[in-house]
Amino acid sequence: NAGVTQTPKFRVLKTGQSMTLLCAQDMNHEYMYWYRQDPGMGLRLIHYSVGEGTTAKGEVPDGYNVSRLKKQNFLLGLESAAPSQTSVYFCASIGSGQAFYEQYFGPGTRLTVT
Amino acid sequence: AQKITQTQPGMFVQEKEAVTLDCTYDTSDQSYGLFWYKQPSSGEMIFLIYQGSYDEQNATEGRYSLNFQKARKSANLVISASQLGDSAMYFCAMTPPRQLTFGSGTQLTVLP
């Protein structure tokens, strides 16, 4: 049981390049989230998903797209990276029903856009 | 929409003393969950404690307890017998469950 994993752990992009961050969980969790954390600040929700095939916008969705084709995976895409997207990205998942309180974070992906 | 407020950007506590980190929330949902996370300087998010809105007892996990006052919409974290390893950023969060909302965090420093 690996919990929540994120790939890659570090990445440097040039302005205008694209990339996809992968979040994977093996706990059969329904809800998955992508956050960004800027230096000295709290986490801000980018997008989230309440189940396979569903996604919704969070607080700061601009410049990002997401997909949840499989229940265990939640992808975060940057189509044209900008320096303002330099941040640490966290993925999280939460169970539902009786396991409502089960929630786990991935280790984070540190992204630098130059 | 949900909102979490943490009004203490930084806190200091002497080793072995207790400390309370404040968290207030706002929601129109009747069913919700409240969480506290710890983020050490290494960056990972560590789950500490959870309180459900219908739980009558305050949650406790070892040295951590959550002082839940539903009428006041507050969910303060109490750390007893502080240790040097408790120095970290602490985040309060809630979920209704479709959206997980975080506060801005409190930086706790434990002094020897």
Side-chain angles (χ1 to χ4, degrees), chain B residues 28-87:
Chain B
S28 56
D29 290 302
Q30 297 300 309
S31 177
Y32 51 88
L34 294 155
F35 302 82
W36 277 92
Y37 291 85
K38 172 183 178 182
Q39 188 178 42
S41 57
S42 52
E44 72 269 31
M45 297 290 287
I46 301 169
F47 166 72
L48 295 178
I49 196 166
Y50 166 85
Q51 178 85 39
S53 58
Y54 292 114
D55 294 341
E56 295 184 354
Q57 303 276 354
N58 285 344
T60 60
E61 289 286 349
R63 294 186 299 111
Y64 304 107
S65 60
L66 199 152
N67 185 359
F68 181 46
Q69 298 188 41
K70 196 170 182 177
R72 293 187 175 185
K73 292 189 175 179
S74 74
N76 298 339
L77 177 71
V78 180
I79 305 175
S80 62
S82 297
Q83 301 172 356
L84 296 178
D86 293 334
S87 293

XYZ file of all heavy atoms in Angstrom, chain B residues 28-87:
478
model
N -21.968 26.614 5.567
C -23.417 26.461 5.673
C -23.810 24.980 5.681
O -24.981 24.648 5.851
C -24.120 27.175 4.525
O -23.633 26.696 3.288
N -22.789 24.117 5.526
C -23.074 22.687 5.550
C -23.315 22.233 6.980
O -22.719 22.756 7.926
C -21.897 21.898 4.960
C -21.782 22.112 3.472
O -22.749 21.823 2.751
O -20.716 22.581 3.036
N -24.179 21.231 7.125
C -24.424 20.645 8.439
C -23.436 19.531 8.742
O -23.113 19.264 9.898
C -25.861 20.110 8.510
C -26.922 21.199 8.363
C -26.795 22.247 9.455
O -26.728 21.919 10.643
N -26.745 23.504 9.067
N -22.996 18.868 7.687
C -22.060 17.762 7.842
C -20.716 18.177 7.267
O -20.620 18.537 6.088
C -22.581 16.520 7.118
O -21.643 15.472 7.205
N -19.704 18.162 8.087
C -18.367 18.552 7.626
C -17.319 17.925 8.519
O -17.632 17.393 9.592
C -18.206 20.081 7.595
C -18.593 20.785 8.880
C -17.665 20.976 9.898
C -19.892 21.261 9.069
C -18.025 21.612 11.070
C -20.261 21.892 10.238
C -19.330 22.071 11.234
O -19.690 22.698 12.402
N -16.090 17.969 8.049
C -14.982 17.451 8.829
C -13.918 18.506 8.988
O -13.708 19.339 8.098
N -13.258 18.497 10.111
C -12.194 19.456 10.397
C -10.902 18.695 10.640
O -10.889 17.673 11.316
C -12.554 20.293 11.627
C -13.761 21.206 11.411
C -14.433 21.520 12.722
C -13.341 22.484 10.702
N -9.825 19.195 10.064
C -8.531 18.524 10.125
C -7.460 19.504 10.588
O -7.553 20.708 10.347
C -8.101 18.043 8.724
C -9.052 17.115 8.043
C -10.150 17.600 7.368
C -8.817 15.755 8.038
C -11.019 16.754 6.706
C -9.676 14.895 7.383
C -10.776 15.389 6.711
N -6.429 18.935 11.168
C -5.198 19.674 11.392
C -4.042 18.895 10.764
O -3.961 17.666 10.899
C -4.906 19.886 12.879
C -5.634 21.050 13.457
C -6.851 21.061 14.069
C -5.164 22.401 13.496
N -7.178 22.335 14.472
C -6.156 23.178 14.137
C -3.999 23.039 13.056
C -6.019 24.547 14.349
C -3.855 24.396 13.262
C -4.867 25.152 13.906
N -3.182 19.657 10.073
C -1.999 19.081 9.456
C -0.761 19.807 9.980
O -0.799 20.999 10.277
C -2.021 19.273 7.939
C -3.077 18.481 7.215
C -4.367 18.969 7.088
C -2.766 17.252 6.648
C -5.327 18.255 6.409
C -3.728 16.531 5.967
C -5.011 17.044 5.854
O -5.963 16.338 5.181
N 0.333 19.063 9.969
C 1.634 19.625 10.323
C 2.525 19.577 9.084
O 2.555 18.572 8.379
C 2.262 18.796 11.451
C 3.689 19.142 11.801
C 4.199 18.181 12.882
C 5.644 18.445 13.235
N 6.145 17.473 14.268
N 3.203 20.671 8.812
C 4.147 20.699 7.705
C 5.513 21.113 8.230
O 5.789 22.294 8.437
C 3.693 21.644 6.590
C 4.577 21.546 5.343
C 4.107 22.451 4.215
O 3.725 23.598 4.452
N 4.136 21.935 2.999
N 6.408 20.160 8.450
C 7.765 20.514 8.896
C 8.549 21.163 7.757
O 8.065 21.245 6.626
C 8.354 19.155 9.298
C 7.540 18.137 8.572
C 6.192 18.727 8.334
N 9.758 21.575 8.060
C 10.571 22.274 7.059
C 10.885 21.381 5.860
O 11.214 21.883 4.779
C 11.859 22.795 7.692
O 12.584 21.738 8.276
N 10.776 20.075 6.034
C 11.023 19.154 4.923
C 9.910 19.193 3.876
O 10.097 18.716 2.758
C 11.187 17.724 5.447
O 10.080 17.387 6.275
N 8.757 19.747 4.222
C 7.730 20.018 3.225
C 6.538 19.087 3.165
O 5.512 19.456 2.593
N 6.643 17.884 3.720
C 5.503 16.989 3.579
C 4.357 17.407 4.492
O 4.559 18.079 5.487
C 5.916 15.534 3.876
C 6.195 15.222 5.332
C 7.653 15.410 5.713
O 8.309 16.286 5.102
O 8.102 14.709 6.631
N 3.169 17.021 4.131
C 1.960 17.308 4.919
C 1.658 16.082 5.777
O 1.458 14.990 5.260
C 0.785 17.619 4.013
C 0.962 18.852 3.158
S 0.926 20.376 4.104
C -0.814 20.483 4.499
N 1.592 16.289 7.072
C 1.377 15.196 8.006
C 0.036 15.392 8.698
O -0.187 16.417 9.351
C 2.510 15.136 9.055
C 3.854 14.953 8.366
C 2.257 14.008 10.062
C 5.051 15.153 9.285
N -0.843 14.426 8.547
C -2.159 14.488 9.181
C -2.003 14.307 10.695
O -1.301 13.408 11.155
C -3.049 13.390 8.609
C -4.300 13.136 9.389
C -5.330 14.048 9.372
C -4.430 11.997 10.150
C -6.486 13.815 10.080
C -5.580 11.749 10.867
C -6.615 12.663 10.833
N -2.662 15.160 11.472
C -2.574 15.077 12.921
C -3.855 14.575 13.565
O -3.830 13.659 14.394
C -2.246 16.458 13.505
C -0.901 17.065 13.160
C -0.782 18.447 13.775
C 0.234 16.163 13.610
N -4.980 15.186 13.194
C -6.199 14.912 13.931
C -7.411 15.314 13.114
O -7.320 16.198 12.257
C -6.167 15.666 15.292
C -7.204 15.114 16.273
C -6.316 17.173 15.094
C -6.961 15.590 17.700
N -8.524 14.637 13.366
C -9.768 14.877 12.640
C -10.940 14.981 13.618
O -10.995 14.262 14.615
C -10.021 13.719 11.673
C -11.425 13.683 11.122
C -11.762 14.441 10.014
C -12.405 12.891 11.710
C -13.047 14.413 9.503
C -13.692 12.860 11.212
C -14.006 13.618 10.104
O -15.280 13.600 9.599
N -11.864 15.884 13.291
C -13.107 16.032 14.074
C -14.282 16.107 13.119
O -14.280 16.942 12.216
C -13.050 17.329 14.902
C -14.284 17.626 15.726
C -14.271 16.944 17.073
O -13.244 16.850 17.738
N -15.421 16.470 17.513
N -15.253 15.262 13.284
C -16.473 15.326 12.497
C -17.465 16.266 13.140
O -17.510 16.394 14.366
N -18.280 16.889 12.331
C -19.207 17.898 12.852
C -20.250 17.302 13.791
O -20.811 18.010 14.630
C -19.908 18.628 11.701
O -20.614 17.716 10.884
N -20.518 16.006 13.664
C -21.506 15.374 14.539
C -20.872 14.644 15.712
O -21.577 14.049 16.527
C -22.378 14.408 13.735
C -23.278 15.124 12.745
C -23.115 14.973 11.375
C -24.289 15.972 13.189
C -23.939 15.623 10.469
C -25.116 16.640 12.294
C -24.936 16.450 10.937
O -25.754 17.106 10.044
N -19.546 14.683 15.782
C -18.868 14.022 16.905
C -19.105 14.826 18.179
O -18.824 16.032 18.212
C -17.356 13.916 16.624
C -17.044 13.002 15.460
O -17.922 12.178 15.110
O -15.937 13.107 14.903
N -19.589 14.158 19.203
C -19.888 14.870 20.455
C -18.655 15.052 21.320
O -18.568 16.011 22.084
C -20.976 14.126 21.220
C -22.320 14.113 20.478
C -23.417 13.465 21.284
O -23.112 12.928 22.363
O -24.564 13.507 20.842
N -17.724 14.136 21.188
C -16.494 14.228 21.980
C -15.416 14.943 21.173
O -15.315 14.775 19.958
C -15.994 12.825 22.329
C -16.991 11.965 23.079
C -16.962 12.245 24.566
O -16.128 13.000 25.036
N -17.890 11.645 25.292
N -14.586 15.701 21.861
C -13.420 16.303 21.207
C -12.432 15.209 20.829
O -12.170 14.290 21.600
C -12.746 17.306 22.137
C -13.526 18.595 22.241
O -14.406 18.877 21.425
N -13.223 19.400 23.242
N -11.876 15.341 19.616
C -10.906 14.345 19.154
C -9.582 14.490 19.892
O -9.158 15.608 20.226
C -10.687 14.513 17.655
N -8.956 13.362 20.154
C -7.616 13.370 20.751
C -6.761 12.334 20.028
O -7.247 11.269 19.618
C -7.638 13.033 22.256
O -8.207 11.727 22.417
C -8.458 14.047 23.030
N -5.488 12.672 19.849
C -4.516 11.753 19.263
C -3.190 11.993 19.975
O -2.447 12.912 19.638
C -4.341 12.025 17.761
C -5.508 11.643 16.881
C -5.633 10.153 16.674
O -4.703 9.406 17.042
O -6.687 9.728 16.152
N -2.925 11.193 20.973
C -1.672 11.359 21.707
C -1.597 12.720 22.366
O -2.457 13.092 23.156
N -0.579 13.511 22.020
C -0.415 14.844 22.619
C -1.278 15.906 21.952
O -1.267 17.066 22.366
C 1.060 15.253 22.543
C 2.005 14.406 23.386
C 3.431 14.963 23.369
N 3.986 14.990 22.023
C 4.238 16.087 21.331
N 3.965 17.280 21.860
N 4.770 16.009 20.129
N -2.001 15.515 20.903
C -2.841 16.466 20.185
C -4.302 16.298 20.593
O -4.802 15.179 20.687
C -2.727 16.255 18.674
C -1.323 16.329 18.136
C -0.651 15.179 17.730
C -0.659 17.546 18.034
C 0.629 15.243 17.234
C 0.628 17.617 17.538
C 1.272 16.461 17.139
O 2.548 16.527 16.651
N -4.961 17.407 20.799
C -6.407 17.375 21.009
C -7.027 18.532 20.265
O -6.377 19.560 20.022
C -6.755 17.438 22.500
O -6.266 18.631 23.072
N -8.259 18.337 19.868
C -8.966 19.363 19.104
C -10.087 19.893 19.983
O -10.981 19.137 20.362
C -9.503 18.766 17.800
C -9.872 19.752 16.692
C -9.717 19.100 15.320
C -11.298 20.255 16.874
N -10.028 21.164 20.300
C -11.056 21.811 21.108
C -12.143 22.316 20.167
O -12.029 23.395 19.589
C -10.435 22.951 21.912
C -11.427 23.592 22.865
O -12.591 23.200 22.916
N -10.989 24.576 23.618
N -13.199 21.509 20.016
C -14.248 21.777 19.048
C -15.409 22.486 19.732
O -16.035 21.937 20.642
C -14.720 20.454 18.431
C -15.787 20.587 17.385
C -15.688 21.529 16.383
C -16.887 19.726 17.391
C -16.663 21.631 15.403
C -17.866 19.816 16.422
C -17.762 20.777 15.419
N -15.682 23.723 19.304
C -16.811 24.481 19.822
C -17.696 24.839 18.634
O -17.469 25.844 17.947
C -16.329 25.721 20.573
C -15.472 25.372 21.780
C -15.158 26.584 22.639
O -16.017 27.443 22.869
N -13.932 26.660 23.110
N -18.692 23.996 18.417
C -19.502 24.088 17.204
C -20.259 25.404 17.118
O -20.350 26.011 16.051
C -20.477 22.907 17.162
C -21.120 22.653 15.819
C -21.853 21.335 15.843
C -22.474 21.024 14.502
N -23.137 19.705 14.502
N -20.828 25.849 18.215
C -21.608 27.091 18.191
C -20.728 28.289 17.838
O -21.171 29.228 17.178
C -22.292 27.308 19.537
N -19.492 28.259 18.275
C -18.552 29.339 17.966
C -17.831 29.111 16.642
O -17.051 29.959 16.213
C -17.504 29.455 19.070
C -18.037 29.913 20.395
C -16.901 30.148 21.363
N -17.352 30.703 22.621
C -16.541 31.079 23.594
N -15.240 30.981 23.447
N -17.045 31.587 24.706
N -18.047 27.950 16.043
C -17.364 27.568 14.801
C -15.850 27.682 14.971
O -15.148 28.315 14.162
C -17.871 28.391 13.625
C -19.317 28.088 13.258
C -19.749 28.740 11.967
C -21.158 28.306 11.600
N -21.635 28.942 10.345
N -15.380 27.072 16.029
C -13.935 27.058 16.233
C -13.449 25.630 16.429
O -14.180 24.765 16.937
C -13.537 27.933 17.429
O -13.878 27.299 18.643
N -12.214 25.385 16.017
C -11.615 24.046 16.084
C -10.140 24.210 16.414
O -9.270 23.983 15.570
C -11.817 23.323 14.757
N -9.870 24.601 17.631
C -8.493 24.897 18.024
C -7.707 23.628 18.307
O -8.217 22.675 18.884
C -8.470 25.795 19.257
C -9.130 27.132 19.006
O -9.269 27.573 17.863
N -9.553 27.789 20.078
N -6.453 23.636 17.918
C -5.550 22.513 18.177
C -4.774 22.791 19.463
O -4.179 23.860 19.596
C -4.579 22.317 17.021
C -3.536 21.212 17.208
C -4.188 19.830 17.142
C -2.434 21.330 16.154
N -4.779 21.830 20.354
C -4.000 21.940 21.587
C -2.895 20.893 21.539
O -3.163 19.705 21.336
C -4.882 21.736 22.835
C -4.038 21.854 24.095
C -6.027 22.734 22.855
N -1.665 21.352 21.690
C -0.521 20.446 21.770
C -0.022 20.486 23.208
O 0.353 21.558 23.722
C 0.607 20.865 20.809
C 0.093 20.987 19.379
C 1.758 19.853 20.868
C 1.129 21.520 18.387
N -0.047 19.357 23.852
C 0.427 19.309 25.241
C 1.915 18.930 25.250
O 2.404 18.282 24.320
C -0.377 18.292 26.046
O -0.201 17.004 25.498
N 2.606 19.351 26.279
C 4.015 18.969 26.470
C 4.810 19.135 25.176
O 5.341 18.167 24.620
C 4.114 17.538 26.990
N 4.912 20.360 24.699
C 5.584 20.632 23.420
C 6.999 20.077 23.387
O 7.721 20.101 24.395
C 5.628 22.143 23.169
O 4.333 22.675 23.057
N 7.366 19.613 22.206
C 8.711 19.096 21.981
C 9.367 19.913 20.867
O 8.677 20.518 20.046
C 8.635 17.617 21.570
C 7.958 16.728 22.588
C 7.737 15.315 22.071
O 8.019 14.998 20.913
N 7.229 14.460 22.945
N 10.688 19.884 20.841
C 11.406 20.640 19.813
C 10.973 20.217 18.410
O 10.902 21.028 17.485
C 12.915 20.473 19.983
C 13.497 21.038 21.278
C 15.001 20.751 21.342
C 13.250 22.539 21.383
N 10.658 18.941 18.252
C 10.228 18.428 16.953
C 8.853 18.904 16.528
O 8.429 18.659 15.392
N 8.159 19.601 17.412
C 6.853 20.158 17.059
C 6.981 21.462 16.276
O 5.987 21.967 15.747
C 6.018 20.417 18.319
C 5.626 19.140 19.043
O 5.549 18.079 18.384
O 5.411 19.200 20.269
N 8.170 22.010 16.208
C 8.374 23.241 15.434
C 8.059 22.968 13.971
O 8.691 22.127 13.333
C 9.815 23.728 15.577
O 10.075 24.155 16.884
